[in-house]
Amino acid sequence: MNSYGSIYAIGAYFGTIAAVLQIVGYWVYNHHVRKGYASGNGSSWAIWTFGSLLNLASYHSLAQDWAKEFLPIVCSFCCILTFIHIWKRNGFGKPYNIDWWILGIDLLITIYWFYSSGNEANLLYQISTIFSFIPMINGMVNGRDYEYPKPWIIW
C-alpha cells in the first residue's frame, strides 16, 4: 500500500471512530432528555442544527473526502434528530437575545463565504459554535436548564 493509501485508511479509521462516538453521545443525550435527566434547550438545539448544516456545507467545500466528511455528516444528522426530539418533547422555547445574535452572525458568515474562501468561513463557524453554548450555560447557571454531563464528555 502506498503512503497515500495508508494515510487515507488511517483517516477513514479515525473518522469512523469519531462518528461512532458522536452517535453514542447523541443517543445518550436523547436518552437523558427522554428520562428527564436533561432539559434540552430547543432554541439552542435549533441554532446548533442550523450551524451544523452550515458547517457541513463549508467543510464539504474544503475536504471533498468522505472519510473526513463522515463526522460532520453524522453530527448534522444526529443534531437534526435531537432538535426534533427536543422540539416534540419540550417545544421550541423562547430564544434568548444571544440566540438571535448567533443566528445573525451565522448568516453574515454565510454571506461572507459566498465572497471568500471556505477555509475562512469554516473557521468563523467554529468560533460561532463556541458562542452558541452561552444560552445553555446561562440557562444552567440560572436554573432554567439542566444537563447531564456524560454525553458532553463523550462528545
Side-chain angles (χ1 to χ4, degrees):
M1 183 182 287
N2 64 25
S3 63
Y4 177 75
S6 348
I7 291 172
Y8 186 79
I10 291 169
Y13 176 75
F14 283 114
T16 302
I17 289 173
V20 168
L21 284 173
Q22 284 291 307
I23 292 168
V24 169
Y26 276 100
W27 183 86
V28 170
Y29 185 83
N30 282 288
H31 176 73
H32 287 148
V33 168
R34 189 170 42 257
K35 294 289 186 181
Y37 302 140
S39 59
N41 181 321
S43 58
S44 288
W45 279 99
I47 294 291
W48 292 329
T49 298
F50 180 70
S52 74
L53 293 170
L54 290 175
N55 189 36
L56 174 61
S58 69
Y59 194 74
H60 173 70
S61 73
L62 299 173
Q64 298 181 355
D65 176 357
W66 79 267
K68 293 177 186 152
E69 293 179 58
F70 192 47
L71 176 62
I73 289 168
V74 166
C75 187
S76 292
F77 180 73
C78 290
C79 195
I80 291 166
L81 293 178
T82 300
F83 168 68
I84 291 169
H85 177 230
I86 290 171
W87 179 52
K88 288 173 76 176
R89 181 177 173 85
N90 302 341
F92 184 73
K94 183 181 180 207
Y96 301 113
N97 286 339
I98 193 158
D99 288 323
W100 293 112
W101 279 100
I102 293 165
L103 182 62
I105 290 167
D106 281 349
L107 291 172
L108 288 173
I109 294 169
T110 303
I111 292 168
Y112 176 75
W113 176 22
F114 291 131
Y115 298 101
S116 70
S117 76
N119 277 338
E120 293 168 1
N122 190 268
L123 289 172
L124 291 170
Y125 285 135
Q126 303 314 309
I127 294 168
S128 171
T129 298
I130 293 167
F131 288 111
S132 73
F133 285 92
I134 292 172
M136 182 191 68
I137 293 167
N138 186 33
M140 288 171 45
V141 168
N142 293 324
R144 291 186 306 265
D145 297 322
Y146 50 95
E147 295 289 337
Y148 195 75
K150 186 185 281 183
W152 298 99
I153 292 168
I154 294 170
W155 288 323

